[in-house]
Amino acid sequence: MTRSVGDCILVDSIIANTTLAIPDLPLAGLRLAVPQTVMLDGLDPHVARSFAAALSRLSEAGAIIVDAPFELLAEAGAINKFSGPEAFAWHRGLLLTREAEYDFRVAKRIRMGESMSAADYIDMHRRRREWISRMEEAMGPFDSLIMPTVPMVAPPIAELETSEEAFFKANSLLLRNPSAINLLDGCAVSLPCHEEGTLPVGLMVAGPAMADRKVLAVARAIEHALKPD
């Protein structure tokens, strides 16, 4: 979390223990795909308006905005079931002796992974590898994917504390878009795209695995175009 893409590049260079040579890409001519499957579902009005306004500014600056189907994203939810069994494998000893110290919602989510068989877990990895291969092929014609980072603004906390149903609904929505990029083993940058003085909205710039330099270059070009006049 930084104040600019330039700072992200600096931090990434420190973590990688190398100087990242990020090209200065002009925004004009970049092909930016907006996935039409899943990633735009259920946008609240402020997120929808902010994202649409950002797309207009990018288009005016010369970016080629493409509404792309990406039907493969409809498969992500069924494949992305790793966190439960992997979390349970790590926490099961602690749950036996110290479950009372866990947030009950967290413990419940971890225990959801208790029932997955090893065969199903292995099959899920196979399905993920195949899905990544098909997604990377579909992403080939584009410089990056762009989408709202999350489909809603930060919800009031009181309702989530009193309603387990509301908590898990909000939790699922907030994780949905970033989790799809995690499933891809991809990389992404989230940029602010809301009007100053309004609730924060993120625009996610995403690419496949090992595309860090390209994603950072595209994100920097987008950041420049979205800066307040």
Side-chain angles (χ1 to χ4, degrees), residues 148-164:
T149 306
V150 295
M152 61 192 292
V153 296
I157 199 167
E159 181 185 0
L160 306 187
E161 287 181 329
T162 57
S163 169
E164 190 171 339

Side-chain angles (χ1 to χ4, degrees), residues 16 18 20-21 71 85 88 99 105 120 126 154 163 165-166 222 228:
T18 185
L20 292 180
E71 293 100 338
F88 182 71
E99 184 168 350
R105 295 184 180 96
D120 287 340
R126 177 189 57 77
S163 169
E165 180 182 356
I222 290 175

Side-chain angles (χ1 to χ4, degrees), residues 24-63:
D24 285 319
L25 288 182
L27 186 64
L30 290 181
R31 289 175 54 81
L32 306 177
V34 181
Q36 300 298 295
T37 303
V38 176
M39 310 303 255
L40 303 181
D41 292 352
L43 300 186
D44 77 25
H46 179 55
V47 173
R49 285 193 301 269
S50 300
F51 184 63
L55 293 184
S56 294
R57 294 189 68 173
L58 296 178
S59 182
E60 289 167 4

Side-chain angles (χ1 to χ4, degrees), residues 90-223:
W90 199 96
H91 286 274
R92 57 182 171 178
L94 287 169
L95 287 171
L96 285 173
T97 58
R98 303 177 66 177
E99 184 168 350
E101 298 176 47
Y102 283 71
D103 180 285
F104 76 94
R105 295 184 180 96
V106 174
K108 183 175 181 178
R109 289 184 62 189
I110 292 172
R111 285 200 173 278
M112 289 171 65
E114 188 173 5
S115 60
M116 180 175 286
S117 71
D120 287 340
Y121 181 74
I122 291 169
D123 186 59
M124 188 166 51
H125 273 284
R126 177 189 57 77
R127 291 174 63 196
R128 181 193 184 195
R129 288 192 299 270
E130 293 172 350
W131 182 82
I132 289 174
S133 179
R134 290 182 289 144
M135 274 291 294
E136 289 182 344
E137 183 177 358
M139 294 168 68
F142 304 105
D143 291 291
S144 285
L145 305 183
I146 56 173
M147 66 205 77
T149 306
V150 295
M152 61 192 292
V153 296
I157 199 167
E159 181 185 0
L160 306 187
E161 287 181 329
T162 57
S163 169
E164 190 171 339
E165 180 182 356
F167 173 86
F168 282 111
K169 181 179 179 180
N171 185 72
S172 178
L173 278 174
L174 290 167
L175 290 174
R176 186 191 69 199
N177 291 7
S179 291
I181 305 305
N182 289 342
L183 183 68
L184 180 66
D185 200 20
C187 50
V189 174
S190 179
L191 300 167
C193 67
H194 53 285
E195 289 187 11
E196 193 170 351
T198 66
L199 288 171
V201 176
L203 182 149
M204 181 159 57
V205 183
M210 309 307 293
D212 303 58
R213 287 175 172 81
K214 182 65 172 289
V215 166
L216 286 166
V218 173
R220 187 165 58 186
I222 290 175
E223 177 186 53

